[in-house]
């Protein structure tokens, strides 16, 4: 009906409600209130929002997509064995993508691609950062295609990684190496 004009910005405290709403709409997993608090306060977490500037009625700054990520030490991560890890460089870091989601009416417009690009750009700007990585549930073909298209490598399958409504599901681990990682 209207022509979207998508922009990207950091997630802010006033995004809290929409952030929780879209998470519960698009994920089969429930996240703790503390998770959302940490995202909007930027406590250990970096997050970007997609908004549609063409929306009317004061909705032009309302969240329609997001990506959340955490930076951590490479030596404390589960992929330390996959890096060209040098013990003299114990300050090596990684960025882990926690959640990525786009509201249904805004899918297939390249928004998730742009959000992931923001994360890669951010991670590349950190000299100690060796990779961006994440887990995807094994049946999520849309997400896996997206990551493969963005040159993430599927490096591992983890049995029973997710527990949803009493059922176990495998996950795939995807890694995008950076800065000679
Ligand atoms: N089927 C197959 N491939 C798809 C689909 C689909 N329905 N949707 C997207 N893709 C792939 C395609 O390869 C596409 O590239 P192409 O257009 O060149 O073919 C690529 O993804 C990028 O598409 P975008 O338009 O950038 O993706 P979109 O903005 O629609 O968002 C997302 C994709 C985030 C997976 C969305 O469908 C969503 O929110 N799903 C529910 C939540 C989710 O699954 N999040 C990811 C979980 S993993 C994690 O959070 C770490």
């Amino acid at each position: 009906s209207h022509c979207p004009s998508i922009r990207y910005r950091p997630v802010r405290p006033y995004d809290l409600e929409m952030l929780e709403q879209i998470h519960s709409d698009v994920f089969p997993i429930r996240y703790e209130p503390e998770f959302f608090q940490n995202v909007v306060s930027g406590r250990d977490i970096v997050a970007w929002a997609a908004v549609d500037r063409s929306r009317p009625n004061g909705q032009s700054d309302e969240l329609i997509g997001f990506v959340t990520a955490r930076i951590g030490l490479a030596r404390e991560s589960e992929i330390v064995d996959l890096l060209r890890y040098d013990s003299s460089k114990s300050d090596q870091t990684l960025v882990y993508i926690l959640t990525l989601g786009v509201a249904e009416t805004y899918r297939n417009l390249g928004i998730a691609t742009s959000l992931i690009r923001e994360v890669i750009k951010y991670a590349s700007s950190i000299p100690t950062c060796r990779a961006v990585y994440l887990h995807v549930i094994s049946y999520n073909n849309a997400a896996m295609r997206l990551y493969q298209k963005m040159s993430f490598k599927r490096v591992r399958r983890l049995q029973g990684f997710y527990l949803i409504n009493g059922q176990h599901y495998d996950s795939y681990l995807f890694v995008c190496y950076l800065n000679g990682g």
Side-chain angles (χ1 to χ4, degrees), residues 107-108 112 136 139-149:
R107 291 200 184 155
N108 295 309
V136 187
Y139 60 71
N140 193 343
N141 294 321
M144 289 195 278
R145 266 203 229 164
L146 161 70
Y147 296 125
Q148 253 144 3
K149 195 184 78 171

Side-chain angles (χ1 to χ4, degrees), residues 2-144:
H2 63 275
C3 183
S5 165
I6 309 300
R7 296 290 178 276
Y8 303 90
R9 60 162 175 78
V11 166
R12 305 200 177 106
Y14 60 76
D15 292 316
L16 184 62
E17 206 176 315
M18 276 312 291
L19 193 71
E20 294 203 62
Q21 182 64 55
I22 308 181
H23 272 78
S24 73
D25 290 347
V26 307
F27 291 117
I29 297 168
R30 294 287 145 251
Y31 291 88
E32 298 296 321
E34 195 194 347
F35 168 71
F36 299 106
Q37 282 298 340
N38 290 344
V39 171
V40 299
S41 68
R43 215 177 295 137
D44 299 331
I45 295 178
V46 287
W48 287 266
V51 299
D52 179 0
R53 292 287 180 235
S54 72
R55 285 176 87 189
N57 308 325
Q59 293 180 312
S60 66
D61 196 39
E62 196 173 281
L63 202 98
I64 52 114
F66 58 81
V67 63
T68 68
R70 183 165 36 221
I71 179 156
L73 287 171
R75 66 180 142 88
E76 290 172 0
S77 82
E78 68 180 293
I79 64 162
V80 63
D81 59 310
L82 298 173
L83 300 166
R84 287 196 292 132
Y85 184 71
D86 174 350
S87 60
S88 70
K89 295 191 186 122
S90 59
D91 61 340
Q92 289 184 354
T93 59
L94 300 172
V95 168
Y96 179 67
I97 295 179
L98 294 155
T99 60
L100 166 73
V102 174
E104 247 182 272
T105 52
Y106 284 94
R107 291 200 184 155
N108 295 309
L109 298 174
I111 295 174
T113 303
S114 297
L115 287 165
I116 296 296
R117 230 179 255 132
E118 291 294 326
V119 177
I120 292 174
K121 201 166 64 180
Y122 164 77
S124 305
S125 77
I126 304 169
T128 56
C129 187
R130 293 292 168 266
V132 175
Y133 73 112
L134 55 94
H135 293 100
V136 187
I137 201 157
S138 57
Y139 60 71
N140 193 343
N141 294 321
M144 289 195 278

Side-chain angles (χ1 to χ4, degrees), residues 151-170:
S151 55
F152 279 73
K153 308 290 172 228
R154 201 171 81 180
V155 295
R156 217 171 252 167
R157 186 179 179 115
L158 299 158
Q159 291 237 338
F161 182 82
Y162 292 104
L163 178 62
I164 300 166
N165 298 325
Q167 235 202 286
H168 289 280
Y169 298 88
D170 295 353

